């Protein structure tokens, strides 16, 4: 028997690998986006600090911008905030 | 109008209803979600026991990146509460974190009642009596506890 595929539709799902369900700043689920965005994903990513806490990038940036440079700390543990790069 | 601050406050309100902390309650006013009324019940086994202390919480569109202004409406006698009801509490000032929510704010104020910080007095008489004359302090506190039941 010969089968001819005439059409196929691929579906993929994705999920952030995070310890927490919600962003500690906006309290929205990480699988959703920050309150300023419409769609989750690359446009509203999650970032980690060297202290290992994570937030929506827009949420942590807004917090850091509202602080003086020397007070730019992690909202969870108050360690000085450094973006984790890897 | 939905802004990030207002959406966050809706989530705070939902959490407060679904998972209410003991001895505190709060809700936004009918026409402005940025202004809340709250009540803190005086904790058991403290001079504040049985008091029902009313507060207002005023948020700005910068919430949660900036703390709200919290003020006792009921008369208060406490080393860290100013005569106008303003509260001297580090987490509402320089130790604020955007991870705090209404529930955390109210429970922190509730625990401040019995754990004053006499080193940063907002009411010098209350601070002095707290340190030097507990009996007189407790008498003054019972007076405001009784007053908290009036002017409904």
């Amino acid at each position: 028997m010969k089968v001819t595929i005439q059409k196929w539709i691929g579906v993929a799902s994705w999920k952030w690998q995070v310890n927490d369900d919600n962003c500690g700043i906006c309290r929205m689920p990480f699988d959703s986006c920050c309150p300023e965005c419409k769609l989750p994903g690359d446009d509203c990513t999650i970032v980690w600090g060297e202290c290992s806490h994570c937030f929506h990038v827009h949420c942590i940036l807004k917090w850091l911008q509202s602080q003086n440079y020397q007070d730019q700390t992690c909202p969870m543990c108050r360690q000085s905030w450094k973006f984790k790069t890897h | 109008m939905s802004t990030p601050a207002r959406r966050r406050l809706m989530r705070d309100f939902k959490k407060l209803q679904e998972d209410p902390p003991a001895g505190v309650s709060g809700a936004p006013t009918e026409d402005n979600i940025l202004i809340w009324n709250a009540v803190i019940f005086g904790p058991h086994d403290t001079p504040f026991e049985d008091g029902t202390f009313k507060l207002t919480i005023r948020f700005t569109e910068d919430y949660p990146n900036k703390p709200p202004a919290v003020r006792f409406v009921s008369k208060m006698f406490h080393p860290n509460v100013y005569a106008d009801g303003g509260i001297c509490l580090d987490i509402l000032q320089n130790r604020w974190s955007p991870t705090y929510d209404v529930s955390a704010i109210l429970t922190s104020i509730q625990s401040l009642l019995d754990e004053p910080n006499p080193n940063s007095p907002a009411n010098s008489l209350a601070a002095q009596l707290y340190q030097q004359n507990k009996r007189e302090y407790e008498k003054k506190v019972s007076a405001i506890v009784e007053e908290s039941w009036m002017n409904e």
Side-chain angles (χ1 to χ4, degrees):
Chain A
M1 190 179 77
K2 206 170 162 188
V3 176
T4 314
I5 297 169
Q6 297 185 320
K7 186 183 175 189
W8 67 278
I9 300 169
V11 177
S13 75
W14 63 273
K15 218 171 159 31
W16 294 106
Q17 280 193 351
V18 284
N19 303 330
D20 232 328
D21 292 341
N22 299 330
C23 169
I25 298 176
C26 69
R27 303 295 173 102
M28 300 292 283
F30 277 127
D31 287 335
S32 161
C33 50
C34 85
E36 306 261 33
C37 290
K38 292 246 165 15
L39 291 168
D42 286 344
D43 290 337
C44 186
T45 57
I46 296 175
V47 288
W48 279 259
E50 281 184 2
C51 57
S52 87
H53 293 117
C54 59
F55 304 95
H56 287 120
V57 64
H58 300 134
C59 295
I60 189 71
L61 283 177
K62 250 174 115 179
W63 162 245
L64 297 174
Q65 279 157 12
S66 75
Q67 297 302 102
N68 295 323
Y69 184 71
Q70 66 273 19
D71 300 329
Q72 297 197 339
T73 54
C74 171
M76 288 287 185
C77 63
R78 300 185 194 277
Q79 288 184 56
S80 144
W81 178 270
K82 289 192 186 68
F83 287 96
K84 191 171 172 183
T85 49
H86 54 134
Chain B
M1 183 180 54
S2 170
T3 59
R6 288 160 201 260
R7 289 175 72 172
R8 171 55 142 69
L9 285 166
M10 279 309 294
R11 293 192 82 88
D12 283 18
F13 187 39
K14 209 172 139 206
K15 184 183 154 194
L16 209 54
Q17 287 178 311
E18 286 171 358
D19 182 18
V24 302
S25 73
T29 53
E30 220 169 284
D31 52 349
N32 188 352
I33 196 171
L34 296 178
I35 301 176
W36 288 47
N37 291 316
V39 178
I40 292 179
F41 299 94
H44 294 298
D45 300 320
T46 76
F48 296 91
E49 180 162 7
D50 294 333
T52 51
F53 305 106
K54 295 175 197 69
L55 305 98
T56 56
I57 315 175
R58 288 167 179 275
F59 299 89
T60 65
E61 294 286 357
D62 292 324
Y63 181 73
N65 289 311
K66 292 277 181 266
V70 190
R71 186 177 290 264
F72 278 101
V73 180
S74 303
K75 198 170 168 194
M76 182 43 73
F77 185 78
H78 186 280
N80 307 113
V81 179
Y82 292 96
D84 66 359
I87 304 165
C88 186
L89 180 60
D90 57 358
I91 66 137
L92 292 177
Q93 278 106 23
N94 54 348
R95 298 272 293 170
W96 172 255
S97 157
T99 58
Y100 295 150
D101 58 10
V102 175
S103 172
I105 293 167
L106 291 175
T107 48
S108 301
I109 297 172
Q110 186 190 34
S111 45
L112 177 72
L113 287 182
D114 198 43
E115 291 155 29
N117 174 11
N119 297 324
S120 59
N123 176 337
S124 51
L125 175 64
Q128 193 195 349
L129 292 180
Y130 177 77
Q131 285 176 308
Q132 295 166 7
N133 190 344
K134 273 277 161 61
R135 244 184 99 172
E136 194 55 32
Y137 176 76
E138 286 174 10
K139 236 168 98 183
K140 294 256 189 201
V141 172
S142 339
I144 56 106
V145 165
E146 281 186 32
E147 237 179 280
S148 77
W149 304 328
M150 325 238 198
N151 21 335
E152 279 307 312

